[in-house]
Amino acid sequence: TEKIPGFEAFKANDEDPATSWRAASADDQWLEAAWVKPQTFRSVQIDEVGNRIDDYRVQVWTEDGWKDVAGGQKCGVGRKHSFEPVTSTKCRLLLSSPKGSPEIAEFEIVR
């Protein structure tokens, strides 16, 4: 659901808190960042718009598929997660059964 005009997925990782990604529905959703070359990172910060997220996981892509590195409930603004450094070509925020269409102002992946 990245193509809602004005709420495209890239806006959740553009370093502008005034823009955001909004899902088209309240179904399970994910927001993914991908790189051509593997990147090493050790934390993420999630800035939710509103309070619709009740369950979420931060995952990285491995040879065996997606691996959870962090997660929680009640996301909100300024939710930070630190973990052991990981190297991957993808990182995603997996949202399960949100209350309404979730909206993320920033999904910052910190090296």
Side-chain angles (χ1 to χ4, degrees), residues 24-43:
S25 71
D27 298 326
D28 291 356
Q29 300 285 330
W30 72 87
L31 181 61
E32 180 180 309
W35 306 276
V36 174
K37 294 181 181 182
Q39 303 291 312
T40 300
F41 50 97
R42 63 185 72 227
S43 67

Side-chain angles (χ1 to χ4, degrees), residues 35-84:
W35 306 276
V36 174
K37 294 181 181 182
Q39 303 291 312
T40 300
F41 50 97
R42 63 185 72 227
S43 67
V44 298
Q45 179 169 320
I46 306 161
D47 291 324
E48 178 185 11
V49 177
N51 289 299
R52 298 180 191 103
I53 297 172
D54 282 336
D55 184 44
Y56 66 94
R57 289 179 276 161
V58 177
Q59 301 179 312
V60 295
W61 182 252
T62 69
E63 291 179 2
D64 298 323
W66 291 104
K67 175 186 172 190
D68 293 350
V69 293
Q73 299 175 337
K74 303 291 182 194
C75 189
V77 175
R79 177 67 68 162
K80 295 180 183 180
H81 291 283
S82 297
F83 38 84
E84 291 298 316

